[in-house]
Amino acid sequence: RAATLSVVPVEFVQVLITNIMGGRRNNSLIELCMDAFGCRVLQRMLESAHPGDRGVIIDAIMSSPRDLMALCEDKYGNYIVQHILNHFPEQYSMILMDMLDDKLLKMARNKFCSYVLEVLYKRGGRDVENRND
């Protein structure tokens, strides 16, 4: 099953964008992120998507502080946020900090959120480190 996910065709990315995100149904995308299989598919899609398509997907995932927090707290959704931070830290670390700045203490107390924070502080660079000085 894992071998099947090693490469996601570009056409599949386009289908996701059209069918799930085209109607601005971000709830469907967030639900997909919180599904065991959907989370893996989205991670592969983020790796193989055209940069413009990748940006559309990530922007939709990170468009709502409430949805972003829900993903960080979720047992599968946190992997999507970690994946974004691991692969694109310079673009998204400070965005995540800005969106969830007032929730960092709450996040540190949550098992899955703490994993996201660990990646954020490891990969986010000096701006993230200096943010709490």
Side-chain angles (χ1 to χ4, degrees):
R1 192 164 155 175
T4 315
L5 293 178
S6 61
V7 177
V8 177
V10 175
E11 296 80 22
F12 191 79
V13 175
Q14 289 298 322
V15 168
L16 173 84
I17 290 173
T18 303
N19 292 329
I20 293 182
M21 298 168 52
R24 296 285 176 226
R25 294 176 291 207
N26 276 3
N27 287 350
S28 298
L29 180 61
I30 300 304
E31 289 172 12
L32 190 61
C33 292
M34 293 179 168
D35 176 76
F37 186 70
C39 150
R40 297 289 297 146
V41 169
L42 274 168
Q43 288 178 55
R44 296 298 76 77
M45 289 175 67
L46 290 173
E47 292 169 6
S48 62
H50 182 274
D53 294 338
R54 182 183 309 127
V56 169
I57 295 168
I58 294 174
D59 290 347
I61 289 169
M62 298 186 72
S63 66
S64 159
R66 184 182 56 116
D67 288 343
L68 186 57
M69 185 66 178
L71 288 176
C72 290
E73 293 173 327
D74 185 73
K75 65 181 174 180
Y76 300 114
N78 81 88
Y79 288 111
I80 293 293
V81 180
Q82 287 183 60
H83 192 82
I84 292 168
L85 294 173
N86 270 318
H87 289 84
F88 317 104
E90 55 285 334
Q91 295 112 306
Y92 296 102
S93 293
M94 288 307 295
I95 292 172
L96 187 126
M97 281 292 279
D98 291 341
M99 291 180 76
L100 300 177
D101 191 34
D102 61 331
K103 296 172 180 64
L104 294 179
L105 185 58
K106 177 184 177 186
M107 290 177 72
R109 294 178 180 151
N110 176 281
K111 176 182 176 179
F112 302 117
C113 288
S114 68
Y115 300 146
V116 172
L117 289 178
E118 183 178 351
V119 172
L120 177 65
Y121 284 98
K122 281 183 179 176
R123 304 280 295 157
R126 294 263 183 246
D127 290 337
V128 170
E129 289 176 23
N130 295 335
R131 182 71 172 258
N132 291 324
D133 289 345

